[in-house]
């Protein structure tokens, strides 16, 4: 059996190494994973209270419409319920967009380096990829605008960008949005929205009233701490969302994920606390980099990309041997960097100590 030609040679998404694999390979008793931008503080205690009861319904299919969660998110954002589409993580919403809009005659415009799944899913559909290099780690929106042609269907803006953590400001984003043709979808992927501190970060939800070609992606995997339950969503023009919905799997978000996400959404105090801790730890890493003279990319997310001016794989391996899983910048398009997810105060102090004494 042969898969379609567009999939030949494609490599599956490569996540951070599992903790148990590292323990087994290196004979370590303790390993700290700071690779996949998970929340080191876990999830809201309110979620734990409802999970036990949800186990009673495992034999019953989930609510395909995700009504309770849909109503909660719509109220939280101030949008209509039918402006929302839920996915098995926001990754699935990206897949659904590519499946629904792209053919071999089309193309997407994306930055590089950025989140790999934009181009990955577009390639599977046979579409071409117009990649525009980052400038100092930031999306070059003017160049991305120039890359749009009559065959462009989607422009992806990862904001804050993964893996650099940088962001596009409100004035620049709005200027860009005004110039994009109405028949080209602009996807603002805001997976790290809850961690953003910048005052000029785009407030995108109100823009949906004026821009039917704007779609916003968010997730419960990062700040909400529900990565293993896989719940993300897109919000956009109601007619467009309803046109997308037939492409969604019938039960693509599970019951436990829906219940957990609904409860997590109600505990914004937990999100505020995680945001505040994250900013303190970000300042800790920035101070370390400045003291050591390391270049870093100012981050609005919960990770930091540090240029150590040596092969990323070399630093990655040294940290691995000390019990820290990070991301090798060589695999992310930044060959002399490592990307570190911010952990707890104690975890960060330990990895900074290791970095300070690298041979």
């Amino acid at each position: 059996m042969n898969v379609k030609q567009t999939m030949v040679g494609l490599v599956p998404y490569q996540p951070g190494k599992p903790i148990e694999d590292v323990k087994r390979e290196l004979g370590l008793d303790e390993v700290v994973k700071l690779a996949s931008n998970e929340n080191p503080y876990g999830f809201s205690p309110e979620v734990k209270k409802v999970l036990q009861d949800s186990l009673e319904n495992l034999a019953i299919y989930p609510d395909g419409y995700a009504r309770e969660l849909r109503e909660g998110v719509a109220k939280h954002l101030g949008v209509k319920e039918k402006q929302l589409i839920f996915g098995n993580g926001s990754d699935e919403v990206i897949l659904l967009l590519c499946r629904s809009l792209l053919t071999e005659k089309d193309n997407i415009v994306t930055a590089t380096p950025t989140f790999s799944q934009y181009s990955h899913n577009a390639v599977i559909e046979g579409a071409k990829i117009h990649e525009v290099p980052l400038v100092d780690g930031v999306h070059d929106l003017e160049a991305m605008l120039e890359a749009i042609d009559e065959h462009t269907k989607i422009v992806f803006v990862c904001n804050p960008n993964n893996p650099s953590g940088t962001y596009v400001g409100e004035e620049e984003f709005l200027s860009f949005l005004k110039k994009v043709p109405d028949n080209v979808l602009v996807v603002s992927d805001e997976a790290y929205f809850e961690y953003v501190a910048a005052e000029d970060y785009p407030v995108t939800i109100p823009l949906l009233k004026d821009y039917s070609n704007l779609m916003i992606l968010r997730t419960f995997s990062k700040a909400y701490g529900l990565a293993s339950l896989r719940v993300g969503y897109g919000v956009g023009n109601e007619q467009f969302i309803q046109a997308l919905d037939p492409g969604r799997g019938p039960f693509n978000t599970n019951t436990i994920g829906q219940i957990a996400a609904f409860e997590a959404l109600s505990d914004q105090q937990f999100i505020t606390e995680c945001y505040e801790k994250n900013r303190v730890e970000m300042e800790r890493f920035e101070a370390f980099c400045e003291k050591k003279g390391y270049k870093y990319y100012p981050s609005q997310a919960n990770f930091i990309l540090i240029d150590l001016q040596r092969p990323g794989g070399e630093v990655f391996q040294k940290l691995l041997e000390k019990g820290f899983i990070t991301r090798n910048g060589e695999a992310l398009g930044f060959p002399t960097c490592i990307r570190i997810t911010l952990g707890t105060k104690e975890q960060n102090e330990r990895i900074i100590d290791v970095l300070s004494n690298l041979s």
Side-chain angles (χ1 to χ4, degrees), residues 256-287:
I256 295 177
Q258 291 179 25
I259 291 171
F262 178 81
E263 290 299 324
L265 189 67
S266 69
D267 189 359
Q268 289 301 306
Q269 179 61 35
F270 174 78
I271 297 299
T272 299
E273 291 171 358
C274 291
Y275 162 84
E276 291 173 348
K277 292 174 184 176
N278 186 73
R279 293 319 304 173
V280 169
E281 296 309 309
M282 185 66 73
E283 291 173 2
R284 185 187 309 280
F285 271 98
E286 291 174 346

PDB file of all heavy atoms in Angstrom, residues 256-287:
ATOM      1  N   ILE A 256     -13.575  13.967  29.480  1.00  0.00           N
ATOM      2  CA  ILE A 256     -12.749  14.444  30.587  1.00  0.00           C
ATOM      3  C   ILE A 256     -12.082  15.764  30.218  1.00  0.00           C
ATOM      4  O   ILE A 256     -12.005  16.691  31.028  1.00  0.00           O
ATOM      5  CB  ILE A 256     -11.718  13.380  30.981  1.00  0.00           C
ATOM      6  CG1 ILE A 256     -12.430  12.144  31.523  1.00  0.00           C
ATOM      7  CG2 ILE A 256     -10.743  13.927  32.015  1.00  0.00           C
ATOM      8  CD1 ILE A 256     -11.509  10.997  31.869  1.00  0.00           C
ATOM      9  N   GLY A 257     -11.603  15.854  28.973  1.00  0.00           N
ATOM     10  CA  GLY A 257     -10.985  17.090  28.513  1.00  0.00           C
ATOM     11  C   GLY A 257     -11.953  18.257  28.536  1.00  0.00           C
ATOM     12  O   GLY A 257     -11.611  19.369  28.969  1.00  0.00           O
ATOM     13  N   GLN A 258     -13.173  18.031  28.091  1.00  0.00           N
ATOM     14  CA  GLN A 258     -14.177  19.097  28.081  1.00  0.00           C
ATOM     15  C   GLN A 258     -14.500  19.566  29.500  1.00  0.00           C
ATOM     16  O   GLN A 258     -14.570  20.778  29.769  1.00  0.00           O
ATOM     17  CB  GLN A 258     -15.455  18.609  27.397  1.00  0.00           C
ATOM     18  CG  GLN A 258     -15.327  18.385  25.902  1.00  0.00           C
ATOM     19  CD  GLN A 258     -16.615  17.868  25.289  1.00  0.00           C
ATOM     20  OE1 GLN A 258     -17.704  18.091  25.814  1.00  0.00           O
ATOM     21  NE2 GLN A 258     -16.502  17.158  24.183  1.00  0.00           N
ATOM     22  N   ILE A 259     -14.704  18.624  30.394  1.00  0.00           N
ATOM     23  CA  ILE A 259     -15.046  18.966  31.777  1.00  0.00           C
ATOM     24  C   ILE A 259     -13.888  19.713  32.450  1.00  0.00           C
ATOM     25  O   ILE A 259     -14.083  20.730  33.125  1.00  0.00           O
ATOM     26  CB  ILE A 259     -15.405  17.693  32.571  1.00  0.00           C
ATOM     27  CG1 ILE A 259     -16.730  17.123  32.059  1.00  0.00           C
ATOM     28  CG2 ILE A 259     -15.485  17.988  34.070  1.00  0.00           C
ATOM     29  CD1 ILE A 259     -17.072  15.759  32.631  1.00  0.00           C
ATOM     30  N   ALA A 260     -12.679  19.182  32.252  1.00  0.00           N
ATOM     31  CA  ALA A 260     -11.503  19.808  32.863  1.00  0.00           C
ATOM     32  C   ALA A 260     -11.287  21.223  32.329  1.00  0.00           C
ATOM     33  O   ALA A 260     -10.983  22.152  33.087  1.00  0.00           O
ATOM     34  CB  ALA A 260     -10.268  18.959  32.605  1.00  0.00           C
ATOM     35  N   ALA A 261     -11.437  21.406  31.025  1.00  0.00           N
ATOM     36  CA  ALA A 261     -11.241  22.722  30.423  1.00  0.00           C
ATOM     37  C   ALA A 261     -12.275  23.726  30.930  1.00  0.00           C
ATOM     38  O   ALA A 261     -11.955  24.890  31.201  1.00  0.00           O
ATOM     39  CB  ALA A 261     -11.299  22.617  28.900  1.00  0.00           C
ATOM     40  N   PHE A 262     -13.513  23.282  31.083  1.00  0.00           N
ATOM     41  CA  PHE A 262     -14.567  24.166  31.590  1.00  0.00           C
ATOM     42  C   PHE A 262     -14.236  24.630  33.008  1.00  0.00           C
ATOM     43  O   PHE A 262     -14.354  25.822  33.335  1.00  0.00           O
ATOM     44  CB  PHE A 262     -15.913  23.444  31.569  1.00  0.00           C
ATOM     45  CG  PHE A 262     -17.044  24.265  32.114  1.00  0.00           C
ATOM     46  CD1 PHE A 262     -17.675  25.207  31.332  1.00  0.00           C
ATOM     47  CD2 PHE A 262     -17.473  24.102  33.436  1.00  0.00           C
ATOM     48  CE1 PHE A 262     -18.725  25.983  31.834  1.00  0.00           C
ATOM     49  CE2 PHE A 262     -18.504  24.869  33.957  1.00  0.00           C
ATOM     50  CZ  PHE A 262     -19.125  25.809  33.144  1.00  0.00           C
ATOM     51  N   GLU A 263     -13.808  23.702  33.864  1.00  0.00           N
ATOM     52  CA  GLU A 263     -13.473  24.071  35.236  1.00  0.00           C
ATOM     53  C   GLU A 263     -12.220  24.947  35.283  1.00  0.00           C
ATOM     54  O   GLU A 263     -12.148  25.898  36.064  1.00  0.00           O
ATOM     55  CB  GLU A 263     -13.260  22.811  36.081  1.00  0.00           C
ATOM     56  CG  GLU A 263     -14.516  22.033  36.365  1.00  0.00           C
ATOM     57  CD  GLU A 263     -15.550  22.826  37.143  1.00  0.00           C
ATOM     58  OE1 GLU A 263     -15.157  23.625  38.020  1.00  0.00           O
ATOM     59  OE2 GLU A 263     -16.758  22.645  36.876  1.00  0.00           O
ATOM     60  N   ALA A 264     -11.253  24.625  34.446  1.00  0.00           N
ATOM     61  CA  ALA A 264     -10.018  25.411  34.418  1.00  0.00           C
ATOM     62  C   ALA A 264     -10.295  26.847  34.000  1.00  0.00           C
ATOM     63  O   ALA A 264      -9.708  27.797  34.536  1.00  0.00           O
ATOM     64  CB  ALA A 264      -9.016  24.770  33.455  1.00  0.00           C
ATOM     65  N   LEU A 265     -11.197  27.019  33.059  1.00  0.00           N
ATOM     66  CA  LEU A 265     -11.543  28.358  32.573  1.00  0.00           C
ATOM     67  C   LEU A 265     -12.142  29.214  33.681  1.00  0.00           C
ATOM     68  O   LEU A 265     -11.944  30.438  33.712  1.00  0.00           O
ATOM     69  CB  LEU A 265     -12.534  28.238  31.407  1.00  0.00           C
ATOM     70  CG  LEU A 265     -12.852  29.518  30.646  1.00  0.00           C
ATOM     71  CD1 LEU A 265     -11.628  30.013  29.887  1.00  0.00           C
ATOM     72  CD2 LEU A 265     -14.010  29.265  29.676  1.00  0.00           C
ATOM     73  N   SER A 266     -12.850  28.574  34.596  1.00  0.00           N
ATOM     74  CA  SER A 266     -13.522  29.323  35.667  1.00  0.00           C
ATOM     75  C   SER A 266     -12.558  29.805  36.745  1.00  0.00           C
ATOM     76  O   SER A 266     -12.903  30.666  37.555  1.00  0.00           O
ATOM     77  CB  SER A 266     -14.613  28.455  36.305  1.00  0.00           C
ATOM     78  OG  SER A 266     -14.029  27.376  37.032  1.00  0.00           O
ATOM     79  N   ASP A 267     -11.336  29.247  36.756  1.00  0.00           N
ATOM     80  CA  ASP A 267     -10.374  29.619  37.802  1.00  0.00           C
ATOM     81  C   ASP A 267      -9.293  30.528  37.215  1.00  0.00           C
ATOM     82  O   ASP A 267      -8.146  30.130  37.013  1.00  0.00           O
ATOM     83  CB  ASP A 267      -9.745  28.358  38.402  1.00  0.00           C
ATOM     84  CG  ASP A 267      -8.905  28.659  39.643  1.00  0.00           C
ATOM     85  OD1 ASP A 267      -8.805  29.843  40.023  1.00  0.00           O
ATOM     86  OD2 ASP A 267      -8.343  27.711  40.230  1.00  0.00           O
ATOM     87  N   GLN A 268      -9.670  31.770  36.966  1.00  0.00           N
ATOM     88  CA  GLN A 268      -8.710  32.722  36.394  1.00  0.00           C
ATOM     89  C   GLN A 268      -7.681  33.182  37.425  1.00  0.00           C
ATOM     90  O   GLN A 268      -6.614  33.687  37.051  1.00  0.00           O
ATOM     91  CB  GLN A 268      -9.452  33.911  35.799  1.00  0.00           C
ATOM     92  CG  GLN A 268     -10.212  33.582  34.525  1.00  0.00           C
ATOM     93  CD  GLN A 268      -9.300  33.050  33.413  1.00  0.00           C
ATOM     94  OE1 GLN A 268      -8.314  33.696  33.066  1.00  0.00           O
ATOM     95  NE2 GLN A 268      -9.626  31.880  32.873  1.00  0.00           N
ATOM     96  N   GLN A 269      -7.967  32.978  38.711  1.00  0.00           N
ATOM     97  CA  GLN A 269      -6.983  33.309  39.734  1.00  0.00           C
ATOM     98  C   GLN A 269      -5.748  32.427  39.576  1.00  0.00           C
ATOM     99  O   GLN A 269      -4.615  32.892  39.733  1.00  0.00           O
ATOM    100  CB  GLN A 269      -7.589  33.137  41.130  1.00  0.00           C
ATOM    101  CG  GLN A 269      -6.617  33.437  42.274  1.00  0.00           C
ATOM    102  CD  GLN A 269      -6.097  34.863  42.266  1.00  0.00           C
ATOM    103  OE1 GLN A 269      -6.819  35.797  41.905  1.00  0.00           O
ATOM    104  NE2 GLN A 269      -4.839  35.047  42.650  1.00  0.00           N
ATOM    105  N   PHE A 270      -5.968  31.162  39.257  1.00  0.00           N
ATOM    106  CA  PHE A 270      -4.847  30.245  39.022  1.00  0.00           C
ATOM    107  C   PHE A 270      -4.018  30.714  37.836  1.00  0.00           C
ATOM    108  O   PHE A 270      -2.780  30.700  37.880  1.00  0.00           O
ATOM    109  CB  PHE A 270      -5.373  28.830  38.771  1.00  0.00           C
ATOM    110  CG  PHE A 270      -4.306  27.848  38.377  1.00  0.00           C
ATOM    111  CD1 PHE A 270      -3.463  27.299  39.330  1.00  0.00           C
ATOM    112  CD2 PHE A 270      -4.139  27.474  37.044  1.00  0.00           C
ATOM    113  CE1 PHE A 270      -2.461  26.399  38.964  1.00  0.00           C
ATOM    114  CE2 PHE A 270      -3.146  26.575  36.678  1.00  0.00           C
ATOM    115  CZ  PHE A 270      -2.310  26.038  37.637  1.00  0.00           C
ATOM    116  N   ILE A 271      -4.675  31.152  36.766  1.00  0.00           N
ATOM    117  CA  ILE A 271      -3.971  31.633  35.579  1.00  0.00           C
ATOM    118  C   ILE A 271      -3.154  32.872  35.918  1.00  0.00           C
ATOM    119  O   ILE A 271      -1.993  33.014  35.484  1.00  0.00           O
ATOM    120  CB  ILE A 271      -4.963  31.940  34.439  1.00  0.00           C
ATOM    121  CG1 ILE A 271      -5.687  30.653  34.004  1.00  0.00           C
ATOM    122  CG2 ILE A 271      -4.261  32.579  33.252  1.00  0.00           C
ATOM    123  CD1 ILE A 271      -4.777  29.566  33.481  1.00  0.00           C
ATOM    124  N   THR A 272      -3.729  33.771  36.706  1.00  0.00           N
ATOM    125  CA  THR A 272      -3.003  34.975  37.119  1.00  0.00           C
ATOM    126  C   THR A 272      -1.759  34.613  37.925  1.00  0.00           C
ATOM    127  O   THR A 272      -0.679  35.193  37.722  1.00  0.00           O
ATOM    128  CB  THR A 272      -3.919  35.894  37.948  1.00  0.00           C
ATOM    129  OG1 THR A 272      -5.031  36.301  37.133  1.00  0.00           O
ATOM    130  CG2 THR A 272      -3.176  37.129  38.428  1.00  0.00           C
ATOM    131  N   GLU A 273      -1.899  33.668  38.828  1.00  0.00           N
ATOM    132  CA  GLU A 273      -0.757  33.251  39.647  1.00  0.00           C
ATOM    133  C   GLU A 273       0.345  32.630  38.779  1.00  0.00           C
ATOM    134  O   GLU A 273       1.532  32.901  38.989  1.00  0.00           O
ATOM    135  CB  GLU A 273      -1.219  32.252  40.706  1.00  0.00           C
ATOM    136  CG  GLU A 273      -2.106  32.880  41.783  1.00  0.00           C
ATOM    137  CD  GLU A 273      -2.737  31.846  42.697  1.00  0.00           C
ATOM    138  OE1 GLU A 273      -2.507  30.633  42.471  1.00  0.00           O
ATOM    139  OE2 GLU A 273      -3.478  32.247  43.614  1.00  0.00           O
ATOM    140  N   CYS A 274      -0.046  31.821  37.808  1.00  0.00           N
ATOM    141  CA  CYS A 274       0.947  31.212  36.913  1.00  0.00           C
ATOM    142  C   CYS A 274       1.645  32.281  36.075  1.00  0.00           C
ATOM    143  O   CYS A 274       2.864  32.222  35.860  1.00  0.00           O
ATOM    144  CB  CYS A 274       0.273  30.187  36.002  1.00  0.00           C
ATOM    145  SG  CYS A 274      -0.295  28.703  36.855  1.00  0.00           S
ATOM    146  N   TYR A 275       0.871  33.243  35.609  1.00  0.00           N
ATOM    147  CA  TYR A 275       1.439  34.350  34.838  1.00  0.00           C
ATOM    148  C   TYR A 275       2.480  35.102  35.672  1.00  0.00           C
ATOM    149  O   TYR A 275       3.591  35.380  35.192  1.00  0.00           O
ATOM    150  CB  TYR A 275       0.318  35.296  34.404  1.00  0.00           C
ATOM    151  CG  TYR A 275       0.786  36.670  33.996  1.00  0.00           C
ATOM    152  CD1 TYR A 275       1.253  36.912  32.701  1.00  0.00           C
ATOM    153  CD2 TYR A 275       0.788  37.730  34.896  1.00  0.00           C
ATOM    154  CE1 TYR A 275       1.702  38.167  32.325  1.00  0.00           C
ATOM    155  CE2 TYR A 275       1.236  38.986  34.528  1.00  0.00           C
ATOM    156  CZ  TYR A 275       1.692  39.206  33.245  1.00  0.00           C
ATOM    157  OH  TYR A 275       2.145  40.445  32.881  1.00  0.00           O
ATOM    158  N   GLU A 276       2.140  35.418  36.890  1.00  0.00           N
ATOM    159  CA  GLU A 276       3.051  36.187  37.743  1.00  0.00           C
ATOM    160  C   GLU A 276       4.320  35.405  38.054  1.00  0.00           C
ATOM    161  O   GLU A 276       5.432  35.948  38.018  1.00  0.00           O
ATOM    162  CB  GLU A 276       2.326  36.592  39.030  1.00  0.00           C
ATOM    163  CG  GLU A 276       1.223  37.624  38.782  1.00  0.00           C
ATOM    164  CD  GLU A 276       0.379  37.902  40.014  1.00  0.00           C
ATOM    165  OE1 GLU A 276       0.490  37.126  41.000  1.00  0.00           O
ATOM    166  OE2 GLU A 276      -0.400  38.873  39.998  1.00  0.00           O
ATOM    167  N   LYS A 277       4.181  34.125  38.364  1.00  0.00           N
ATOM    168  CA  LYS A 277       5.369  33.292  38.622  1.00  0.00           C
ATOM    169  C   LYS A 277       6.236  33.198  37.372  1.00  0.00           C
ATOM    170  O   LYS A 277       7.476  33.238  37.444  1.00  0.00           O
ATOM    171  CB  LYS A 277       4.943  31.893  39.072  1.00  0.00           C
ATOM    172  CG  LYS A 277       4.282  31.838  40.441  1.00  0.00           C
ATOM    173  CD  LYS A 277       3.778  30.431  40.727  1.00  0.00           C
ATOM    174  CE  LYS A 277       3.036  30.360  42.045  1.00  0.00           C
ATOM    175  NZ  LYS A 277       2.463  29.005  42.277  1.00  0.00           N
ATOM    176  N   ASN A 278       5.598  33.073  36.232  1.00  0.00           N
ATOM    177  CA  ASN A 278       6.334  32.959  34.976  1.00  0.00           C
ATOM    178  C   ASN A 278       7.158  34.217  34.703  1.00  0.00           C
ATOM    179  O   ASN A 278       8.305  34.141  34.251  1.00  0.00           O
ATOM    180  CB  ASN A 278       5.352  32.718  33.826  1.00  0.00           C
ATOM    181  CG  ASN A 278       6.048  32.448  32.504  1.00  0.00           C
ATOM    182  OD1 ASN A 278       6.624  31.385  32.293  1.00  0.00           O
ATOM    183  ND2 ASN A 278       6.008  33.434  31.602  1.00  0.00           N
ATOM    184  N   ARG A 279       6.584  35.406  34.983  1.00  0.00           N
ATOM    185  CA  ARG A 279       7.318  36.649  34.741  1.00  0.00           C
ATOM    186  C   ARG A 279       8.533  36.748  35.677  1.00  0.00           C
ATOM    187  O   ARG A 279       9.601  37.200  35.269  1.00  0.00           O
ATOM    188  CB  ARG A 279       6.416  37.861  34.931  1.00  0.00           C
ATOM    189  CG  ARG A 279       5.299  38.021  33.908  1.00  0.00           C
ATOM    190  CD  ARG A 279       5.686  37.725  32.492  1.00  0.00           C
ATOM    191  NE  ARG A 279       6.820  38.504  32.006  1.00  0.00           N
ATOM    192  CZ  ARG A 279       7.402  38.308  30.829  1.00  0.00           C
ATOM    193  NH1 ARG A 279       7.001  37.348  30.034  1.00  0.00           N
ATOM    194  NH2 ARG A 279       8.410  39.065  30.448  1.00  0.00           N
ATOM    195  N   VAL A 280       8.372  36.324  36.926  1.00  0.00           N
ATOM    196  CA  VAL A 280       9.499  36.352  37.868  1.00  0.00           C
ATOM    197  C   VAL A 280      10.618  35.447  37.368  1.00  0.00           C
ATOM    198  O   VAL A 280      11.803  35.825  37.382  1.00  0.00           O
ATOM    199  CB  VAL A 280       9.039  35.916  39.278  1.00  0.00           C
ATOM    200  CG1 VAL A 280      10.248  35.683  40.188  1.00  0.00           C
ATOM    201  CG2 VAL A 280       8.113  36.970  39.881  1.00  0.00           C
ATOM    202  N   GLU A 281      10.248  34.248  36.915  1.00  0.00           N
ATOM    203  CA  GLU A 281      11.264  33.299  36.454  1.00  0.00           C
ATOM    204  C   GLU A 281      11.887  33.742  35.131  1.00  0.00           C
ATOM    205  O   GLU A 281      13.075  33.485  34.884  1.00  0.00           O
ATOM    206  CB  GLU A 281      10.662  31.903  36.334  1.00  0.00           C
ATOM    207  CG  GLU A 281      10.202  31.321  37.668  1.00  0.00           C
ATOM    208  CD  GLU A 281      11.287  31.405  38.733  1.00  0.00           C
ATOM    209  OE1 GLU A 281      12.431  30.970  38.458  1.00  0.00           O
ATOM    210  OE2 GLU A 281      11.005  31.933  39.827  1.00  0.00           O
ATOM    211  N   MET A 282      11.103  34.421  34.278  1.00  0.00           N
ATOM    212  CA  MET A 282      11.664  34.949  33.041  1.00  0.00           C
ATOM    213  C   MET A 282      12.738  35.985  33.352  1.00  0.00           C
ATOM    214  O   MET A 282      13.810  36.018  32.729  1.00  0.00           O
ATOM    215  CB  MET A 282      10.564  35.578  32.182  1.00  0.00           C
ATOM    216  CG  MET A 282      11.044  36.044  30.813  1.00  0.00           C
ATOM    217  SD  MET A 282      11.574  34.678  29.744  1.00  0.00           S
ATOM    218  CE  MET A 282       9.977  33.955  29.337  1.00  0.00           C
ATOM    219  N   GLU A 283      12.468  36.840  34.323  1.00  0.00           N
ATOM    220  CA  GLU A 283      13.454  37.843  34.732  1.00  0.00           C
ATOM    221  C   GLU A 283      14.712  37.177  35.289  1.00  0.00           C
ATOM    222  O   GLU A 283      15.824  37.680  35.100  1.00  0.00           O
ATOM    223  CB  GLU A 283      12.831  38.790  35.763  1.00  0.00           C
ATOM    224  CG  GLU A 283      11.759  39.700  35.177  1.00  0.00           C
ATOM    225  CD  GLU A 283      11.036  40.511  36.232  1.00  0.00           C
ATOM    226  OE1 GLU A 283      11.395  40.402  37.431  1.00  0.00           O
ATOM    227  OE2 GLU A 283      10.095  41.240  35.868  1.00  0.00           O
ATOM    228  N   ARG A 284      14.539  36.040  35.955  1.00  0.00           N
ATOM    229  CA  ARG A 284      15.692  35.300  36.478  1.00  0.00           C
ATOM    230  C   ARG A 284      16.591  34.839  35.315  1.00  0.00           C
ATOM    231  O   ARG A 284      17.816  34.993  35.362  1.00  0.00           O
ATOM    232  CB  ARG A 284      15.207  34.091  37.288  1.00  0.00           C
ATOM    233  CG  ARG A 284      16.332  33.318  37.985  1.00  0.00           C
ATOM    234  CD  ARG A 284      15.826  32.028  38.624  1.00  0.00           C
ATOM    235  NE  ARG A 284      14.670  32.233  39.469  1.00  0.00           N
ATOM    236  CZ  ARG A 284      14.736  32.687  40.717  1.00  0.00           C
ATOM    237  NH1 ARG A 284      15.904  32.963  41.256  1.00  0.00           N
ATOM    238  NH2 ARG A 284      13.642  32.850  41.430  1.00  0.00           N
ATOM    239  N   PHE A 285      15.989  34.275  34.281  1.00  0.00           N
ATOM    240  CA  PHE A 285      16.768  33.816  33.138  1.00  0.00           C
ATOM    241  C   PHE A 285      17.395  34.981  32.379  1.00  0.00           C
ATOM    242  O   PHE A 285      18.544  34.892  31.918  1.00  0.00           O
ATOM    243  CB  PHE A 285      15.886  32.986  32.191  1.00  0.00           C
ATOM    244  CG  PHE A 285      15.865  31.520  32.530  1.00  0.00           C
ATOM    245  CD1 PHE A 285      14.827  30.986  33.267  1.00  0.00           C
ATOM    246  CD2 PHE A 285      16.882  30.684  32.107  1.00  0.00           C
ATOM    247  CE1 PHE A 285      14.806  29.634  33.583  1.00  0.00           C
ATOM    248  CE2 PHE A 285      16.875  29.326  32.408  1.00  0.00           C
ATOM    249  CZ  PHE A 285      15.831  28.804  33.153  1.00  0.00           C
ATOM    250  N   GLU A 286      16.655  36.052  32.218  1.00  0.00           N
ATOM    251  CA  GLU A 286      17.191  37.211  31.503  1.00  0.00           C
ATOM    252  C   GLU A 286      18.394  37.790  32.237  1.00  0.00           C
ATOM    253  O   GLU A 286      19.402  38.150  31.610  1.00  0.00           O
ATOM    254  CB  GLU A 286      16.095  38.271  31.331  1.00  0.00           C
ATOM    255  CG  GLU A 286      14.998  37.852  30.363  1.00  0.00           C
ATOM    256  CD  GLU A 286      13.847  38.836  30.313  1.00  0.00           C
ATOM    257  OE1 GLU A 286      13.756  39.703  31.207  1.00  0.00           O
ATOM    258  OE2 GLU A 286      13.023  38.729  29.384  1.00  0.00           O
ATOM    259  N   ALA A 287      18.300  37.875  33.553  1.00  0.00           N
ATOM    260  CA  ALA A 287      19.416  38.391  34.352  1.00  0.00           C
ATOM    261  C   ALA A 287      20.634  37.479  34.208  1.00  0.00           C
ATOM    262  O   ALA A 287      21.775  37.959  34.101  1.00  0.00           O
ATOM    263  CB  ALA A 287      19.006  38.508  35.812  1.00  0.00           C
TER     264      ALA A 287
END
